[in-house]
Amino acid sequence: MCGIVGFLDTSGALGSVGATLLGMLETLAGRGPDSAGVALWGPAAPGLVVRIKLGEGRDLDVQRREVVRLARVEAATLEGSLLRLVVPKAEAGELAVAVEAIGSDVEVVSIGERLEIVKQVGSPRNLQLEFGVSRRRGTHGLGHTRLSTESRVDLSHSQPFWAHGTADLAVVHNGHITNYHRLRRIYEQEGVRFYTENDSEIIGIYLARKLREGLSLGGAMEASLRDLDGSFSYLAATKDAFGFAKDPFCLKPLLVGESEGAIAVANEEIALQAALPAGYRAREAGARAVAVREVPYPARPKGAGLRRVRARRRAA
């Protein structure tokens, strides 16, 4: 039932992606009133941008000062419920562990050279009130509005999910990963920490492991169709790539729209209409579909649209 959206400016410009994602999410607000969030890849920071959820049981100003003391912070601001830091280059996993050691209720929401995730409990309109999302510029982004069906409603369980420990990788998901508990037990035995009881969290962890094995984002998403069971559609992106994957049973809708200069993906066409000008081309992604597009920053030549890694349909 959740709403998922993604948008890529194929010109490589730093456009008003925040406003576009917010507009897409607001059209899908009825699919998930419990929480909403966006992951946006903007201009490169002079280091890493870190978004942190501070705890609820201690003085927030004390926690903020403790976090700032951890590194040679170049900038620190408290925006809504999240602390935003800019720090020198560091290993994302080690930095997250150090920050979260401050307290069990402190959580790193995202780390990246370009990625920032903001999310909150409530409808998508609250993203504008709390974070001014419409003012944020970037090349691409993901968004999610959630209806909780199995796990509690709070900021941690909200999406997008950062692939914890891997800079600039995030996902949004609609559906169910039915072998989540088995995979979680395997990963926990290997030392992986989980932050929620939300099955969507497993996707980012899975993709991050595949990227560390040397696969591209497209290769990792292709492999996920073999290793993740269930009915699902998900979007994933890094600072360099943007893509989607759809389960073998084709039970969860996913529509792809392309126009001159932009690609939009969502699970209802009304969101595409909010993002793209009249005359865009739309199609529904088929069973076992995986498509990835390289992000065309200004220094790179523009591509020709989403590259289909696989788009096979099961025989009836």
Side-chain angles (χ1 to χ4, degrees):
M1 186 64 182
C2 299
I4 59 174
V5 303
F7 184 82
L8 170 65
D9 185 332
T10 56
S11 72
L14 291 170
S16 53
V17 173
T20 300
L21 291 172
L22 185 61
M24 296 177 76
L25 284 179
E26 286 179 337
T27 68
L28 301 182
R31 292 184 68 95
D34 293 336
S35 62
V38 298
L40 194 147
W41 287 259
L48 292 175
V49 179
V50 186
R51 288 277 184 173
I52 301 166
K53 176 180 76 72
L54 298 176
E56 300 176 355
R58 302 170 59 197
D59 184 273
L60 293 184
D61 192 54
V62 171
Q63 288 189 332
R64 181 186 60 79
R65 289 197 299 269
E66 290 180 8
V67 170
V68 169
R69 277 200 298 268
L70 282 174
R72 193 171 69 256
V73 174
E74 298 178 9
T77 54
L78 187 61
E79 295 182 351
S81 56
L82 299 177
L83 178 63
R84 181 184 188 272
L85 304 180
V86 179
V87 303
K89 289 288 180 68
E91 201 283 318
E94 294 177 358
L95 179 58
V97 169
V99 169
E100 291 170 347
I102 290 173
S104 60
D105 51 359
V106 175
E107 179 184 337
V108 175
V109 171
S110 67
I111 296 180
E113 295 178 18
R114 297 180 182 271
L115 169 66
E116 294 192 53
I117 292 176
V118 295
K119 52 187 180 178
Q120 41 72 64
V121 173
S123 69
R125 73 172 66 91
N126 291 345
L127 292 170
Q128 178 65 16
L129 297 173
E130 191 164 354
F131 301 106
V133 165
S134 68
R135 299 190 298 272
R136 301 184 181 279
R137 304 182 70 80
T139 51
H140 59 298
L142 309 175
H144 189 278
T145 183
R146 180 176 183 237
L147 176 67
S148 176
T149 56
E150 295 181 357
S151 54
R152 65 179 179 269
V153 177
D154 61 14
L155 190 149
S156 295
H157 283 75
S158 305
Q159 296 189 47
F161 280 131
W162 175 49
H164 223 87
T166 301
D168 289 295
L169 174 60
V171 302
V172 293
H173 163 245
N174 176 46
H176 298 280
I177 308 299
T178 54
N179 60 341
Y180 157 73
H181 292 289
R182 181 178 67 82
L183 291 174
R184 176 169 177 154
R185 286 193 297 271
I186 292 171
Y187 292 163
E188 286 180 328
Q189 289 171 3
E190 297 174 0
V192 175
R193 176 184 174 186
F194 283 76
Y195 292 78
T196 74
E197 293 80 43
N198 190 325
D199 61 337
S200 304
E201 187 182 4
I202 203 81
I203 299 173
I205 294 170
Y206 174 90
L207 295 177
R209 291 164 71 92
K210 291 299 181 183
L211 292 178
R212 288 195 294 272
E213 290 173 8
L215 293 183
S216 65
L217 180 63
M221 295 175 77
E222 172 79 4
S224 76
L225 297 186
R226 297 190 301 269
D227 296 333
L228 302 181
D229 294 335
S231 61
F232 57 83
S233 294
Y234 75 85
L235 313 180
T238 66
K239 65 180 180 179
D240 298 314
F242 167 93
F244 66 79
K246 192 169 178 179
D247 71 87
F249 307 106
C250 207
L251 295 177
K252 297 297 181 180
L254 196 66
L255 298 167
V256 183
E258 298 190 45
S259 67
E260 186 66 32
I263 297 170
V265 186
N267 48 0
E268 286 191 30
E269 188 166 1
I270 192 171
L272 303 186
Q273 294 169 359
L276 300 174
Y280 66 85
R281 304 175 303 280
R283 60 184 171 86
E284 182 162 6
R288 301 190 64 86
V290 174
V292 174
R293 167 67 191 263
E294 189 173 306
V295 176
Y297 292 111
R300 299 176 179 164
K302 289 191 286 185
L306 280 167
R307 175 173 57 84
R308 297 192 191 189
V309 178
R310 178 196 286 178
R312 271 201 330 233
R313 191 176 295 275
R314 291 181 58 175

